[in-house]
Amino acid sequence: MIKKNKKKPMKPDLKQLFLSMTRLRMFEERVADLLLKDEIKCPTHLYIGQEAVAVGVCEALKKDDYVFSTHRSHGHYLAKGGDMKKLMAELFGKSTGCSQGRGGSMHIAAPDIGYLGSTAIVGADIPIGVGAGLSSCVRKSKQISVIFFGDGAVDEGVFYESINYASLYKLPVLFICENNLFSTHLRICFRQPADNIFQRIKTFKMPSKRIDGNDVLEVYKNTCAAVDHIRQGKGPYFLECRTYRWRAHVGPWLDIDFDFRSKAEVESWIRKCPIKKLEKAMLKKKDFSAAERDRIIADVKNEIDEAYRFSQESPYPDAKELLNHVFRD
Amino acid sequence: MRKIKYSQAINEAFHQVMNREKNVIVMGIGVNSPWYVGHTMEGLFKKFGCNRVIDTPVSENGFTGIAVGAAMSGLRPVVIHPRMDFMYYSFDQIINQAANWHYMFGGSVNVPLTLRGIVNRGGEQAAQHSQSIQALFMHIPGLKVVMPATPSDAKGLLISSVLDNNPVIYIDDRWLYDIEDDVPDGFYQVPIGEAKVLKQGKDVTIIASSYLVYEGLKAAEKLGALDNIDAELLDLRTIKPLDTSRIFDSVKKTGRVVIADGGWQTAGASAEVSALISSEIFSSLKAPVRRVCLPDAPAPASKTLEQVYYPHSEDIYLSVKQVMGYKEKA
């Protein structure tokens, strides 16, 4: 799934968008199932429902562009080209996992494709991503640095410090705020006096837009425009992508057994499924046939089966290796 | 060999390592300021320019995190915190991020970052501009902590910190800045993790770091002159990882120990050294270990209080006398 390092066309490859979103969705549905069966034990934050953001953004990037993410990061890892087998193995704490069983779901990385890591401290990836932009600038490498974070991270002070710095030094950084309306259980209206994240950013002299995060084409086109702006040396860019997570803050459930969101609300967002939306449009415009769609889905299922098999056949880390990797030689 | 000041040795290390390694940048509050960092950063901005010498906005957590990200993507940044006290703002980035990423990702990402914290005590600056918080960093897996006392170590350990592939906390005390001593003029490294015997002795070991090395040397002189006590002075230089073999060798020889550390006593750096000695070479001890540290109080402002707050050579001298006078009960 690793993409070639060439200039991305503005015209989207629809089948690739559909394939990539389907991989994210089906992988996580399998993970949800494995969580319910208590096979996967580590705390897992599912991305189901938000796939259009990761895929629309990452399809517009080059292989060596940097990506940083959060506790809810499987989607970003896979969309950037991360190895599914290594991710599944990591969820089982196996030595073949992308973090060799040291990270679990919340700490995954794939530096070979520019995915330098995800961190489970809210907002902590934001200055780090700005730093990768600074590095690119100093080394004149032309890479851009993309930072995924939620609306919860916007509550953190370091968010504003990072926005300020990136804009002050015109660093090659793309900020992707996935506004899924909740910070764990707490709705945005209880955390921020106005629902206007993208507008606040403009006061830092940074171009900023609010877009539909459930429309992969809109995400892709806006990312292409943002990336173009950044690669021209015009400085950072901010996209607030409105979306919704279907599952619980953590775990496979729906988070409707409490008072903070209703079943009807969740269902209203499920009706806005980003994958169904693209699929419907593609079938209508004959961008692919139902048979082609089914083949893509079958291929993805095989890939997931293979990843699961790999994870089960892989060994656990040897207890003797506990202290490996505390330091780099 | 020519003699230069401690602050000049730091400055020379920056010039040489930045000249040699094009991926080294320095950033922090006041790096171009005439008063924040003494003479230690002189000439760097003019020579290396605004891309590599960055006087940042006052956002410690933000710019420390930016340095962490730059470190994992091809640079070797040095972050300057002109007062260690300001580093608390950046603890998430230092501890949760910089110290953890290499382990947390199974060794696939590393953070070659130097965090320079300056100890700025005295001068009636009180609780928020005077702290020596080395013990907090020493507690964290994934960090190395160096505290050079001599000008030649200030230079060699700074170069080693910058070239290390891990986050290193480099702590320099402004009270050392005017001390002059031999410093090689070339490019050299002092290995991280090696203590050094600055004065040989057979009766008692004084273990010290940073500024307290000089207070320890003064105490050792007085002990020799007045009391015929031959004290050995061991300069730790690195407090994490501790050079246990040199510590143990010295203590096995003398059997008596006084540990002087510029931080607070409770759960401080001295506690770790003391615990290692008693757990690993208990039978070598002829007397209980004594410690000379800060009392458990924030730093005061008034000079009469400062005078009793900060440890001096006399405190080390008296502690050694106690250790030497210890008699086991029959």
Side-chain angles (χ1 to χ4, degrees):
Chain A
M1 292 308 296
I2 291 172
K3 295 173 283 293
K4 289 192 181 65
N5 201 6
K6 60 178 190 222
K7 187 170 164 41
K8 292 282 169 182
M10 292 290 273
K11 191 170 159 50
D13 179 344
L14 297 177
K15 280 183 203 165
Q16 172 61 24
L17 293 174
F18 179 80
L19 164 66
S20 186
M21 287 201 291
T22 302
R23 285 178 82 235
L24 269 54
R25 172 70 56 87
M26 289 175 64
F27 176 82
E28 290 222 304
E29 282 176 342
R30 178 71 68 91
V31 169
D33 184 45
L34 294 167
L35 284 162
L36 287 168
K37 289 179 182 159
D38 209 21
E39 286 192 44
I40 291 176
K41 311 277 188 189
C42 68
T44 300
H45 304 72
L46 297 173
Y47 191 66
I48 294 172
Q50 302 183 204
E51 294 89 349
V53 183
V55 170
V57 170
C58 289
E59 284 298 322
L61 303 177
K62 293 182 182 177
K63 181 183 166 188
D64 67 351
D65 287 331
Y66 294 118
V67 165
F68 294 88
S69 178
T70 68
H71 53 285
R72 195 179 309 285
S73 63
H74 302 169
H76 310 124
Y77 169 97
L78 290 173
K80 187 68 174 43
D83 187 318
M84 186 188 284
K85 287 195 288 203
K86 289 182 178 175
L87 176 56
M88 187 68 97
E90 189 60 37
L91 301 184
F92 282 94
K94 296 299 183 78
S95 65
T96 54
C98 56
S99 301
Q100 296 191 24
R102 268 70 168 183
S105 166
M106 292 192 284
H107 311 108
I108 58 178
D112 52 320
I113 50 144
Y115 188 93
L116 283 189
S118 42
T119 168
I121 303 296
V122 171
D125 64 322
I126 302 175
I128 292 175
V130 173
L134 172 67
S135 170
S136 161
C137 213
V138 171
R139 291 182 294 108
K140 300 185 170 57
S141 70
K142 303 277 182 202
Q143 292 156 286
I144 73 169
S145 178
V146 181
I147 310 164
F148 290 96
F149 51 93
D151 48 304
V154 174
D155 300 343
E156 296 279 2
V158 79
F159 168 78
Y160 296 93
E161 297 180 25
S162 306
I163 292 283
N164 181 61
Y165 196 98
S167 185
L168 181 67
Y169 288 98
K170 290 200 181 314
L171 297 179
V173 180
L174 175 57
F175 294 89
I176 302 292
C177 176
E178 296 188 64
N179 188 344
N180 65 16
L181 313 178
F182 285 91
S183 176
T184 68
H185 62 289
L186 202 58
R187 200 179 283 274
I188 192 165
C189 59
F190 299 120
R191 298 181 285 115
Q192 300 177 11
D195 182 0
N196 64 348
I197 293 168
F198 77 109
Q199 284 169 333
R200 273 176 256 165
I201 303 309
K202 291 179 180 176
T203 65
F204 288 85
K205 290 188 157 185
M206 190 187 299
S208 173
K209 279 180 86 171
R210 173 180 283 174
I211 61 175
D212 180 356
N214 277 29
D215 182 340
V216 72
L217 294 176
E218 185 170 335
V219 175
Y220 177 79
K221 284 173 184 166
N222 277 286
T223 305
C224 286
V227 165
D228 194 45
H229 168 96
I230 296 166
R231 288 208 206 279
Q232 285 179 40
K234 293 180 180 170
Y237 205 104
F238 192 101
L239 293 174
E240 179 191 346
C241 307
R242 306 288 282 201
T243 185
Y244 197 83
R245 69 172 152 74
W246 295 4
R247 301 291 179 123
H249 161 65
V250 59
W253 311 279
L254 292 176
D255 264 2
I256 51 173
D257 308 324
F258 313 99
D259 287 335
F260 61 84
R261 70 180 200 178
S262 66
K263 190 160 180 263
E265 180 179 305
V266 175
E267 283 170 351
S268 77
W269 281 92
I270 289 175
R271 283 194 294 277
K272 290 186 246 180
C273 172
I275 303 175
K276 285 271 173 267
K277 183 183 171 87
L278 179 69
E279 181 188 336
K280 211 170 135 189
M282 285 175 71
L283 288 172
K284 194 174 165 192
K285 290 187 188 164
K286 300 201 176 355
D287 291 311
F288 65 5
S289 64
E292 274 181 288
R293 175 201 62 195
D294 293 345
R295 199 154 52 242
I296 289 172
I297 290 169
D299 286 348
V300 170
K301 185 179 179 304
N302 285 338
E303 190 189 2
I304 295 166
D305 288 344
E306 179 55 33
Y308 178 72
R309 197 175 315 118
F310 174 79
S311 73
Q312 300 311 295
E313 289 167 357
S314 293
Y316 285 102
D318 193 311
K320 289 198 290 288
E321 295 169 359
L322 174 69
L323 299 183
N324 289 6
H325 309 307
V326 176
F327 290 109
R328 172 73 61 95
D329 289 335
Chain B
M1 195 182 290
R2 69 176 181 154
K3 289 186 191 299
I4 59 172
K5 289 180 179 172
Y6 187 99
S7 59
Q8 290 170 311
I10 290 178
N11 185 250
E12 189 168 276
F14 272 117
H15 276 277
Q16 290 183 1
V17 79
M18 289 186 76
N19 215 19
R20 202 173 165 115
E21 306 287 332
K22 303 299 175 208
N23 58 353
V24 175
I25 63 167
V26 300
M27 57 194 298
I29 296 170
V31 296
N32 296 331
S33 142
W35 63 81
Y36 257 137
V37 288
H39 297 290
T40 61
M41 308 303 286
E42 271 177 7
L44 294 171
F45 183 79
K46 201 172 168 193
K47 187 164 174 193
F48 300 104
C50 60
N51 267 341
R52 294 181 65 194
V53 181
I54 306 167
D55 204 336
T56 59
V58 182
S59 44
E60 290 85 351
N61 197 18
F63 70 71
T64 302
I66 288 165
V68 172
M72 64 180 68
S73 58
L75 299 186
R76 290 185 176 275
V78 184
V79 172
I80 319 286
H81 290 281
R83 313 285 180 259
M84 277 201 102
D85 317 63
F86 307 166
M87 294 174 87
Y88 292 118
Y89 260 133
S90 56
F91 267 29
D92 175 62
Q93 286 298 328
I94 299 172
I95 297 171
N96 268 325
Q97 316 308 330
N100 279 342
W101 278 47
H102 187 257
Y103 189 86
M104 190 162 95
F105 299 125
S108 65
V109 179
N110 71 310
V111 184
L113 171 66
T114 304
L115 295 145
R116 177 179 165 214
I118 301 178
V119 178
N120 190 58
R121 59 214 163 89
E124 306 197 349
Q125 298 194 80
Q128 296 174 340
H129 278 59
S130 309
Q131 295 171 74
S132 295
I133 55 172
Q134 57 270 23
L136 299 178
F137 297 117
M138 198 178 171
H139 187 60
I140 306 301
L143 297 179
K144 299 181 181 182
V145 187
V146 301
M147 297 187 76
T150 65
S152 62
D153 287 344
K155 179 177 171 184
L157 276 171
L158 180 55
I159 291 173
S160 292
S161 302
V162 173
L163 299 182
D164 200 277
N165 287 320
N166 302 281
V168 180
I169 312 286
Y170 177 99
I171 300 170
D172 54 300
D173 185 324
R174 281 173 68 116
W175 284 4
L176 293 163
Y177 280 10
D178 288 332
I179 288 173
E180 253 187 16
D181 210 340
D182 293 344
V183 176
D185 54 12
F187 184 88
Y188 66 93
Q189 295 188 54
V190 169
I192 292 172
E194 283 189 14
K196 189 177 183 184
V197 175
L198 291 190
K199 179 188 170 300
Q200 299 271 354
K202 60 178 176 23
D203 297 328
V204 59
T205 302
I206 300 170
I207 299 174
S209 56
S210 193
Y211 185 76
L212 285 171
V213 165
Y214 292 95
E215 297 296 314
L217 284 170
K218 263 188 260 174
E221 260 174 54
K222 186 173 171 184
L223 288 161
L226 296 189
D227 305 282
N228 200 28
I229 293 171
D230 185 13
E232 178 147 306
L233 192 291
L234 184 69
D235 176 3
L236 288 175
R237 307 201 289 180
T238 297
I239 62 164
K240 187 169 193 176
L242 279 167
D243 185 350
T244 47
S245 86
R246 282 189 176 81
I247 294 170
F248 295 163
D249 284 352
S250 178
V251 176
K252 280 180 196 163
K253 182 171 70 174
T254 62
R256 294 183 168 86
V257 193
V258 170
I259 307 165
D261 173 59
W264 290 296
Q265 176 162 300
T266 303
S270 65
E272 182 62 24
V273 176
S274 174
L276 284 169
I277 291 169
S278 58
S279 64
E280 301 301 317
I281 53 165
F282 180 72
S283 61
S284 307
L285 286 174
K286 297 173 189 160
V289 174
R290 288 205 67 83
R291 296 185 280 158
V292 177
C293 309
L294 295 180
D296 279 335
S302 176
K303 63 183 175 188
T304 56
L305 299 175
E306 276 190 337
Q307 183 60 29
V308 290
Y309 183 72
Y310 294 111
H312 299 281
S313 62
E314 192 62 15
D315 302 300
I316 300 172
Y317 173 81
L318 292 173
S319 290
V320 170
K321 296 273 280 183
Q322 277 182 306
V323 167
M324 294 306 294
Y326 176 80
K327 293 275 188 300
E328 256 184 286
K329 283 178 190 158

